[in-house]
Each structure stands twice: as C-alpha cells, then as structure tokens.
Amino acid sequence: MSTDKITFLLNWEVAPYHIPVYLASQKGYFKEEGIDVAILEPSNPSDVTELIGSGKVDMGLKAMVHTLAAKARGYPVTSIGSLLDEPFTGICYLEGSGITSDFQSLKGKRIGYVGEFGKIQVDELTKHYGMTPDDYTAVRCGMNVAKYILEGQIDCGIGIECIQQVELEEALKKQGKDPNGAKMLRIDKLAELGCCCFCTILYIANDKFIAENPDKIKKFLKAVKKATDYMLANPKQAWAEYGNFKPNMQSELNTKKFSRCFAYFSDSLYNVHRDWRKVNNYGKRLEILPADYVPNYTNEYLSWPEPQEVSDPLKAQELMAKHQEECKTCGGYKRLVLSGI
C-alpha cells in the first residue's frame, strides 16, 4: 500500500526543543500547506541517519556532525534547515567528583557518551592533552547521561547545556544542594574549535526524497517556520499547547529545559555557512570525513530572506554563555539580541 504521508523521525524521544514540529502539526500548519506529516520517535538515536539515508523514512532531525558523517558513510542525507543553533555541548560532571577544569582530571574516569561519535571526540581530545583512550573507560549510555551520573554508573558524560545539564541542576536542587554544582567542560573550548556548532540540530531529508519532492520540502519548512515564529512570539501559550498534546512536557523539569532551549532556536531556519565550514574541518580532524569532503547542506528550499551571519562568533558565544547563566538564575523566555556583533 502507498501513502502520501511524509514520515519524519525525531532524533530521540520527544523533547522540549521538538516543539516547532509538533506545533506545525497540531495548529494545522502542515495541513494549510497541503501536506500530511507522520512524526515518529526512534528506539535508538544512532538509527536516525541510517533510516533516513536508506529511504525507510523521508525526513528527520540530527546533529550536524552526524549529518556530515552519515553522507560520508554512504547514507544520502542533506540538511535543509536548522532547528537548534549551537547549543553548548560538553562533558557534564558534578562538583566533588574529582573532575576539574583540567581535562587531565578525567584520567581513570568513566565517561559516558551517546553514540560512536561522542567516543571519537573524547578519544581525539585525549591525544590533544597527552593522554590515550586507554586512560579512561568509555560507557555508552545513549541520552541517559545525567541519569547515569546521578546513579553513579559513570563519573561524567557528554551532554548539552539545555538538556542534560539542566537535568543535573534540577536533581541537585531536589537534594537540597547548590545547582551550580553541575559543571561542564565545553568541547568547543577543549578542542579549540571556536564554535559549538557540531551539535546544531538540523532538519535533514533523504536525497532521493528531496529530488522527487521539492515542493513538499518547501511546504514542510514553511509550516515549521510559521510554528517557530508563533512559538518565539508566544512562548508561554505555545508551551501550554504543546503540553496539551504531550502532557509529560508540562513537568517542572521539561519546562525548565524549554526555557533554556529558547535562546538556541533558529528563527530563520537557515544553515549557517561558517558553522558548516568549521564542522566539516572538525570532521576531517576526527578522521570521520575524507580530505575532499563537501558539506551536505542546502538553503534553497527556504523562501524568506537569509539573515546576515554575525561577524564575531566568539563574542556571540560569550554573550550566549552569560545569557544562559541569567536564564538559569532568573528563568523565563528570553532571546539574545546579536545585531551589530
């Protein structure tokens, strides 16, 4: 049997930052565009690019470094837009664990990672800091890094500031402890990358599906752009509507995650050329991309003006770090204004 539904695979179980996709569905924006989208959840986040690349699923979400590596491994996928721009990514740990801001304090520790590229990143860092992969114990724990840390199964693990870091902070609060005891060694700083863009969450699609359905791609992006605009203009209302459809999103923990994700949402959906160049080079440094690799992204299906990229990305990240600290302390839904930077 055939179907006209577009199948769309999330990068993991439903999370606060998936809100634009669900709002586009629930508010009828997909229907307005004349498309029908089936939103799916994977049982394993590592399956996403394989399922989309093999054509079993049409579209989905994945981080930039995984999207690059997927195409290099023969899975024909391309990024058609950005959902979450440059969330701070790093090795999360708790104060008092024996880990400090010195990377070499990780020697002898159990480090959790989501999928194989997390381990590749840590292995490369050990070389950078005069260690070897034998100097730590790698533990694959999927998206449950915070849970494994809190249960004592690992000493630290790779996560993003607006999800796993928040989970650790809120757990400390419940224990009557200072949430600032949740720490992160940012990978972009450790690796001297100058950006956190390797974990930018992207809208990706199967290349054959793109070639055969360019109008559907445009309509999908137009619908999620409308949902993103609505969410950014009406965060409290949008979050309440999301919660009506996904009740578990209304927990205190998920609400806090949403407020911390809020500044990272891409308002334009455009792929940032500078970020793709940097992550492409980083992928070659990690030896997961060949020397002549060409980044697999396009902005041609976005029908609104492309914004100007910031001229000082390091300054922008410094401001974002301060902004997120304020958000952690004060809460609320606030965006960082980067005009003129």
Side-chain angles (χ1 to χ4, degrees):
M1 295 179 66
S2 62
T3 176
D4 288 331
K5 282 185 182 291
I6 296 172
T7 49
F8 185 90
L9 188 62
L10 302 179
N11 55 332
W12 187 224
E13 62 190 20
V14 177
Y17 61 79
H18 295 141
I19 184 171
V21 180
Y22 279 99
L23 284 179
S25 178
Q26 293 306 300
K27 295 186 74 64
Y29 298 156
F30 289 140
K31 188 175 181 180
E32 287 177 8
E33 293 297 323
I35 57 176
D36 189 2
V37 180
I39 305 170
L40 312 172
E41 298 178 39
S43 57
N44 184 338
S46 296
D47 293 338
V48 175
T49 48
E50 180 177 344
L51 289 170
I52 297 172
S54 65
K56 292 181 173 67
V57 179
D58 302 321
M59 305 175 66
L61 295 171
K62 202 62 182 171
M64 189 181 290
V65 68
H66 300 114
T67 302
L68 283 160
K71 189 74 168 278
R73 290 184 166 190
Y75 294 113
V77 297
T78 295
S79 171
I80 54 172
S82 299
L83 167 64
L84 209 64
D85 271 339
E86 299 192 72
F88 292 137
T89 306
I91 299 171
C92 303
Y93 66 96
L94 295 177
E95 198 170 44
S97 62
I99 298 171
T100 69
S101 58
D102 180 359
F103 183 84
Q104 292 191 335
S105 66
L106 296 176
K107 192 169 185 177
K109 302 299 184 183
R110 298 161 298 169
I111 304 178
Y113 64 98
V114 177
E116 65 172 308
F117 295 117
K119 185 178 187 308
I120 290 171
Q121 285 181 299
V122 178
D123 285 352
E124 198 272 339
L125 285 171
T126 60
K127 296 174 186 176
H128 190 68
Y129 286 89
M131 298 161 58
T132 74
D134 292 331
D135 286 325
Y136 79 98
T137 300
V139 180
R140 187 165 184 162
C141 47
M143 305 295 264
N144 299 311
V145 165
K147 178 177 182 289
Y148 276 46
I149 292 174
L150 293 166
E151 292 176 351
Q153 296 186 57
I154 57 176
D155 300 296
C156 56
I158 297 176
I160 60 176
E161 181 265 334
C162 52
I163 300 295
Q164 286 83 7
Q165 188 81 351
V166 175
E167 291 172 353
L168 291 177
E169 292 167 5
E170 293 304 296
L172 289 177
K173 282 184 184 179
K174 286 188 175 181
Q175 295 171 11
K177 299 178 181 178
D178 184 355
N180 291 315
K183 304 290 187 180
M184 175 184 283
L185 293 172
R186 277 175 43 187
I187 289 176
D188 63 305
K189 290 189 173 183
L190 292 172
E192 301 176 348
L193 297 178
C195 71
C196 282
C197 39
F198 58 87
C199 267
T200 290
I201 306 299
L202 307 167
Y203 294 103
I204 69 173
N206 174 274
D207 286 355
K208 186 172 183 288
F209 181 80
I210 295 173
E212 295 178 351
N213 301 277
D215 288 340
K216 285 184 178 180
I217 297 292
K218 291 176 183 177
K219 290 175 179 179
F220 175 89
L221 291 169
K222 187 176 177 182
V224 291
K225 174 67 163 67
K226 185 173 182 179
T228 301
D229 290 345
Y230 174 79
M231 178 266 298
L232 293 177
N234 309 280
K236 291 183 179 179
Q237 178 63 25
W239 185 244
E241 292 177 32
Y242 190 27
N244 287 337
F245 183 67
K246 293 289 184 182
N248 65 318
M249 286 295 108
Q250 290 299 291
S251 69
E252 184 178 349
L253 175 60
N254 279 322
T255 300
K256 180 61 69 72
K257 288 180 184 177
F258 175 57
S259 71
R260 293 275 279 278
C261 288
F262 195 69
Y264 294 124
F265 282 107
S266 172
D267 56 1
S268 72
L269 276 60
Y270 269 83
N271 286 290
V272 180
H273 306 289
R274 177 198 66 246
D275 292 350
W276 277 93
R277 288 193 296 271
K278 287 187 175 182
V279 182
N280 190 41
N281 289 333
Y282 183 45
K284 293 172 184 177
R285 172 175 149 186
L286 294 174
E287 299 181 350
I288 61 175
L289 302 177
D292 60 349
Y293 193 77
V294 178
N296 48 320
Y297 75 97
T298 180
N299 288 324
E300 67 177 292
Y301 301 103
L302 302 172
S303 56
W304 44 91
E306 181 174 0
Q308 184 176 355
E309 295 183 12
V310 296
S311 59
D312 190 344
L314 287 179
K315 179 64 174 179
Q317 289 224 316
E318 289 175 9
L319 293 174
M320 180 63 84
K322 292 178 181 178
H323 179 277
Q324 291 300 86
E325 280 297 316
E326 291 175 5
C327 182
K328 179 170 72 173
T329 303
C330 305
Y333 306 110
K334 300 176 182 177
R335 298 277 289 173
L336 181 63
V337 177
L338 292 174
S339 57
I341 296 177

